[in-house]
Amino acid sequence: MLANVPFLAAMMAGTRELVAAGILSSSLLSVAAPLWETLLVEGTDPEALVVAYAVPSVIFTVGSSLPFVAGLLVKRYGVVGGYRIVLLVALAAYLAKTAALALKLEEPPRADPGGRPRSPARAFVRALRADRRLLLIVAYNVLSSVISASLGYLSLYLTDERGARLPPDAASLVPLLSSAASLATLAAVSLRPPGALYLALAASAGAAAYTLYGLSAADPRLAFAAALLSGLRGAEFSVARACFLGLLGGADASVKGQAISVLYTLSNAISIPAPAAAGLLYSVHPAYVWLLAAACSLAQLALLAALARARSAARAG
């Protein structure tokens, strides 16, 4: 968890060399992420997985709904001063989180498997070969990474003269609306955890939202409608992860950890070319980046249709 500390400290220092070193050090977080996620789901009942994932999603969404606060700080203290205040708050939060984890986090006891130990990697590969539904969910998650790369250009697009052309104060309302819709979605999902049907709704809402973002170059007001629609994807990560782990059944923690690591590896692998591809599209025309996101959402719908057919075949068999 301390991987974030040198990153934030380097950003506060402000030199290019330290910033580059901080970004590299922050990549260590990706190593611990699968372990953290395994601890999150270990011992959690299958029907409670969506809620278990929803809690950190709510925390992230609340944080992402506060860009207007950063905007006020930048307006009052300037770009450099305001940004350093935001980083200082983030640094204090990361240090407090690390201290709390060091004092309170305990690894759950492992059951003795008995006999010859099995390779969790081989066990997961066998599960992939035996159940086509796992491959479909993995592909769904990979496409989500491509969509995330496209969303990385949202703040730039909203104020771009070739994009939505919104003034900065109006542009800051877009993530606020999206976060509000995400929180409402997460609350609804936590009260009554859904299944793959929600993922189909989320992919459909995403396709519509990204189309509206593209059309907002002609009518900037469409960006606000797009923000509300994209917020309906707020619980997508929680539900997709729960579906994936649910297909693993009673696999032990080591197999689940290996499965989560595969998801992270594939997502990180696609996150290398995806931003570059999105940037190339953006350079041609900013609206093209939303064509990529909408196409990925439609592809997710196709995968979910194949998943439904595979589930029907499994029940029939």
Side-chain angles (χ1 to χ4, degrees):
M1 294 302 176
L2 286 171
N4 290 286
V5 175
F7 167 66
L8 293 170
M11 293 292 285
M12 291 179 66
T15 66
R16 293 181 179 179
E17 293 78 13
L18 287 177
V19 168
I23 292 174
L24 288 174
S25 67
S26 70
S27 64
L28 295 173
L29 182 63
S30 62
V31 178
L35 302 176
W36 169 251
E37 193 170 330
T38 302
L39 287 173
L40 177 67
V41 302
E42 177 64 15
T44 302
D45 294 332
E47 60 272 13
L49 281 174
V50 173
V51 177
Y53 275 108
V55 172
S57 295
V58 167
I59 296 172
F60 175 81
T61 303
V62 169
S64 64
S65 66
L66 301 175
F68 67 95
V69 176
L72 292 175
L73 290 173
V74 168
K75 184 177 181 180
R76 180 176 178 84
Y77 298 103
V79 175
V80 175
Y83 188 50
R84 284 181 171 171
I85 291 174
V86 172
L87 289 174
L88 183 61
V89 173
L91 180 60
Y94 277 123
L95 288 173
K97 176 188 70 174
T98 303
L101 290 174
L103 293 173
K104 297 295 183 180
L105 184 63
E106 296 181 2
E107 184 174 356
R110 293 186 178 182
D112 184 8
R116 183 179 179 181
R118 297 181 303 169
S119 167
R122 290 181 180 178
F124 177 58
V125 170
R126 284 196 297 269
L128 281 176
R129 291 175 176 175
D131 195 340
R132 180 169 170 263
R133 296 173 296 175
L134 278 171
L135 286 173
L136 294 172
I137 287 292
V138 168
Y140 183 98
N141 281 276
V142 169
L143 287 173
S144 293
S145 297
V146 180
I147 293 173
S148 296
S150 299
L151 288 173
Y153 289 86
L154 177 59
S155 58
L156 179 62
Y157 175 83
L158 291 175
T159 56
D160 196 319
E161 286 299 319
R162 296 191 301 161
R165 307 184 311 279
L166 291 172
D169 54 346
S172 67
L173 294 177
V174 171
L176 181 62
L177 288 174
S178 181
S179 296
S182 293
L183 287 174
T185 302
L186 284 165
V189 164
S190 299
L191 292 174
R192 187 175 181 180
L197 183 60
Y198 165 75
L199 293 180
L201 172 64
S204 300
Y210 307 138
T211 300
L212 289 177
Y213 273 135
L215 294 175
S216 66
D219 185 353
R221 293 173 297 181
L222 294 176
F224 300 105
L228 291 173
L229 279 173
S230 65
L232 296 179
R233 295 184 68 115
E236 179 196 31
F237 177 81
S238 305
V239 176
R241 277 293 201 270
C243 288
F244 176 72
L245 293 171
L247 290 173
L248 291 175
D252 59 29
S254 61
V255 175
K256 289 180 179 178
Q258 191 69 42
I260 292 171
S261 295
V262 168
L263 283 183
Y264 273 97
T265 300
L266 291 175
S267 296
N268 289 337
I270 200 66
S271 67
I272 296 174
L280 181 62
L281 290 173
Y282 193 95
S283 65
V284 176
H285 193 283
Y288 288 174
V289 74
W290 304 117
L291 291 178
L292 175 63
C296 289
S297 294
L298 293 175
Q300 286 180 320
L301 277 175
L303 290 172
L304 291 171
L307 178 63
R309 290 193 296 270
R311 282 180 169 172
S312 298
R315 293 192 189 100

